[in-house]
Amino acid sequence: MRVALLALPGNMRSALAGLADMFWLSNQVIRLNPTVNPEISRDIPFFDVRTITADGQPVRDVQGRIIESDGSFSEPDNFGLIIASGMQLDEHKFPADRAAVSSAAEWLRVKYSEGSCIASACAGGFVLGEAGLLNGRICTTTWWLYPTFAERYPLAKPIWGKALAEQDNVITAGGPLSWVDLVIYIVRNHAGNELAKLTADMAVADSQPLSQQIYAPAGFLNSRHPLLTKAENLLRYQNPAMTVEQLAAALNMTTRTLNRKMKTLIQESPKDFITRVRIETASVLLESPGKTISQIANACGYGDETSFRRAFSAMMGMSPGSFRKRLLTKSPSNSGCE
């Protein structure tokens, strides 16, 4: 599979180098495990990775260092996959070099029409957005860019907190280091689950991406609009067991109007909004070792612990108990440092 890493002025060098190294690592894993998916040829590296710049000349990264190029937009190369990665943003949280992004967006449009899969990690999603490749498609970006992303590309369908999304041969991943998850996902799709797992093990990475909601501060998304803030306060502080109908009534609107407004603002239904607020509240409460899982479930509006565990695992990608253990291992008091 031929892979192009799109290099633009202001790119993060770590993303480009990391992508190249992860694909190199996966090539080693494939070569050293000939009995796993033996139908895959080992005669040449499975992933052929090139760094592509607009004119074939080197560009400077976010810190002013040189990024070498293996080719240009004008060359007639066919790539199975093209990846746009993280880059420097301006004060408006948009790529600093807008001319370079526009040129790259045009190239991606052409390559997508020719059959290339187009992918992004973190702010690289802005290039896909400018190319119009996210219109009408589910997608994701890093959690702190979500409001800017949703506002700039109203025809896109970003999903809050999702680590990775794919639709119609367009893949997006969130977070500056999400290129790790992206490569493992590509390996899984093209070389199989077992080789993807072996690649993840070699990289000491999770074979399945974790939800970004593990990292985003509780209430971050809802703080972007007064309606969402008011709805969250009603749920968090007045009645966490509130139904959609009760929430709509408390906001002085019909359930239909509430659904329309929330879909417009955050691509969520009121039911999903309620669930997210409950789980965000639970994530905060789990930091307190004095509360049991059952007590937290009750405090977040769940009538039984089983329903709470199911909802928490579905949203966060791990059980409440595993989440609490993760918090404890990250605690400064458990770091062994003084």
mmCIF file of all heavy atoms in Angstrom, residues 9-13 60-65 67 87-88:
data_model
loop_
_atom_site.group_PDB
_atom_site.id
_atom_site.type_symbol
_atom_site.label_atom_id
_atom_site.label_comp_id
_atom_site.label_asym_id
_atom_site.label_seq_id
_atom_site.Cartn_x
_atom_site.Cartn_y
_atom_site.Cartn_z
ATOM 1 N N PRO A 9 3.962 23.649 5.549
ATOM 2 C CA PRO A 9 4.682 24.536 6.453
ATOM 3 C C PRO A 9 3.955 24.632 7.797
ATOM 4 O O PRO A 9 2.745 24.827 7.841
ATOM 5 C CB PRO A 9 4.642 25.886 5.722
ATOM 6 C CG PRO A 9 4.484 25.531 4.285
ATOM 7 C CD PRO A 9 3.608 24.310 4.267
ATOM 8 N N GLY A 10 4.697 24.459 8.874
ATOM 9 C CA GLY A 10 4.092 24.518 10.193
ATOM 10 C C GLY A 10 3.585 23.198 10.723
ATOM 11 O O GLY A 10 2.999 23.153 11.808
ATOM 12 N N ASN A 11 3.814 22.105 9.993
ATOM 13 C CA ASN A 11 3.423 20.789 10.499
ATOM 14 C C ASN A 11 4.211 20.437 11.759
ATOM 15 O O ASN A 11 5.335 20.915 11.957
ATOM 16 C CB ASN A 11 3.672 19.705 9.457
ATOM 17 C CG ASN A 11 2.427 19.301 8.685
ATOM 18 O OD1 ASN A 11 2.475 19.169 7.463
ATOM 19 N ND2 ASN A 11 1.318 19.088 9.361
ATOM 20 N N MET A 12 3.629 19.565 12.583
ATOM 21 C CA MET A 12 4.361 19.020 13.718
ATOM 22 C C MET A 12 5.270 17.910 13.206
ATOM 23 O O MET A 12 4.785 16.928 12.623
ATOM 24 C CB MET A 12 3.394 18.475 14.770
ATOM 25 C CG MET A 12 2.568 19.526 15.465
ATOM 26 S SD MET A 12 1.376 18.816 16.634
ATOM 27 C CE MET A 12 2.489 18.035 17.816
ATOM 28 N N ARG A 13 6.557 18.068 13.422
ATOM 29 C CA ARG A 13 7.510 17.055 12.964
ATOM 30 C C ARG A 13 7.232 15.699 13.610
ATOM 31 O O ARG A 13 7.388 14.650 12.980
ATOM 32 C CB ARG A 13 8.935 17.498 13.275
ATOM 33 C CG ARG A 13 10.005 16.479 12.903
ATOM 34 C CD ARG A 13 11.355 16.909 13.403
ATOM 35 N NE ARG A 13 11.878 18.012 12.612
ATOM 36 C CZ ARG A 13 12.707 17.843 11.579
ATOM 37 N NH1 ARG A 13 13.065 16.633 11.218
ATOM 38 N NH2 ARG A 13 13.150 18.874 10.905
ATOM 39 N N ARG A 60 9.420 23.944 6.360
ATOM 40 C CA ARG A 60 9.842 24.046 7.758
ATOM 41 C C ARG A 60 8.684 23.682 8.684
ATOM 42 O O ARG A 60 7.540 24.057 8.446
ATOM 43 C CB ARG A 60 10.340 25.459 8.060
ATOM 44 C CG ARG A 60 11.642 25.779 7.327
ATOM 45 C CD ARG A 60 12.305 27.045 7.848
ATOM 46 N NE ARG A 60 13.562 27.273 7.156
ATOM 47 C CZ ARG A 60 14.732 26.756 7.527
ATOM 48 N NH1 ARG A 60 14.786 25.964 8.593
ATOM 49 N NH2 ARG A 60 15.828 27.003 6.845
ATOM 50 N N ASP A 61 9.033 22.951 9.733
ATOM 51 C CA ASP A 61 8.015 22.511 10.681
ATOM 52 C C ASP A 61 7.644 23.626 11.645
ATOM 53 O O ASP A 61 8.107 24.765 11.511
ATOM 54 C CB ASP A 61 8.473 21.246 11.418
ATOM 55 C CG ASP A 61 9.539 21.515 12.486
ATOM 56 O OD1 ASP A 61 9.969 22.681 12.634
ATOM 57 O OD2 ASP A 61 9.929 20.565 13.166
ATOM 58 N N VAL A 62 6.825 23.301 12.641
ATOM 59 C CA VAL A 62 6.309 24.296 13.580
ATOM 60 C C VAL A 62 7.424 24.983 14.367
ATOM 61 O O VAL A 62 7.265 26.106 14.843
ATOM 62 C CB VAL A 62 5.289 23.627 14.529
ATOM 63 C CG1 VAL A 62 5.974 22.625 15.449
ATOM 64 C CG2 VAL A 62 4.507 24.650 15.324
ATOM 65 N N GLN A 63 8.580 24.330 14.476
ATOM 66 C CA GLN A 63 9.707 24.912 15.191
ATOM 67 C C GLN A 63 10.796 25.443 14.249
ATOM 68 O O GLN A 63 11.882 25.796 14.697
ATOM 69 C CB GLN A 63 10.314 23.890 16.151
ATOM 70 C CG GLN A 63 9.350 23.437 17.239
ATOM 71 C CD GLN A 63 9.997 22.541 18.261
ATOM 72 O OE1 GLN A 63 10.967 22.916 18.909
ATOM 73 N NE2 GLN A 63 9.467 21.328 18.408
ATOM 74 N N GLY A 64 10.493 25.497 12.965
ATOM 75 C CA GLY A 64 11.436 26.051 12.003
ATOM 76 C C GLY A 64 12.463 25.071 11.481
ATOM 77 O O GLY A 64 13.390 25.462 10.754
ATOM 78 N N ARG A 65 12.307 23.798 11.778
ATOM 79 C CA ARG A 65 13.257 22.790 11.316
ATOM 80 C C ARG A 65 12.832 22.256 9.946
ATOM 81 O O ARG A 65 11.655 22.242 9.615
ATOM 82 C CB ARG A 65 13.355 21.644 12.324
ATOM 83 C CG ARG A 65 13.830 22.095 13.705
ATOM 84 C CD ARG A 65 13.657 20.998 14.734
ATOM 85 N NE ARG A 65 12.252 20.623 14.894
ATOM 86 C CZ ARG A 65 11.828 19.705 15.747
ATOM 87 N NH1 ARG A 65 12.692 19.048 16.505
ATOM 88 N NH2 ARG A 65 10.536 19.415 15.841
ATOM 89 N N ILE A 67 11.837 19.844 6.969
ATOM 90 C CA ILE A 67 11.194 18.566 6.661
ATOM 91 C C ILE A 67 11.491 18.253 5.202
ATOM 92 O O ILE A 67 11.095 19.009 4.300
ATOM 93 C CB ILE A 67 9.671 18.625 6.874
ATOM 94 C CG1 ILE A 67 9.338 18.952 8.329
ATOM 95 C CG2 ILE A 67 9.021 17.297 6.472
ATOM 96 C CD1 ILE A 67 7.857 19.170 8.588
ATOM 97 N N MET A 87 -0.659 20.518 12.945
ATOM 98 C CA MET A 87 0.120 21.671 12.482
ATOM 99 C C MET A 87 -0.125 22.878 13.378
ATOM 100 O O MET A 87 -1.013 22.880 14.232
ATOM 101 C CB MET A 87 -0.257 22.010 11.042
ATOM 102 C CG MET A 87 -1.695 22.476 10.878
ATOM 103 S SD MET A 87 -2.198 22.597 9.151
ATOM 104 C CE MET A 87 -2.386 20.853 8.748
ATOM 105 N N GLN A 88 0.674 23.917 13.143
ATOM 106 C CA GLN A 88 0.549 25.152 13.911
ATOM 107 C C GLN A 88 -0.769 25.845 13.589
ATOM 108 O O GLN A 88 -1.175 25.936 12.437
ATOM 109 C CB GLN A 88 1.715 26.088 13.587
ATOM 110 C CG GLN A 88 1.700 27.392 14.359
ATOM 111 C CD GLN A 88 2.867 28.300 13.996
ATOM 112 O OE1 GLN A 88 3.556 28.057 13.017
ATOM 113 N NE2 GLN A 88 3.081 29.328 14.788
#
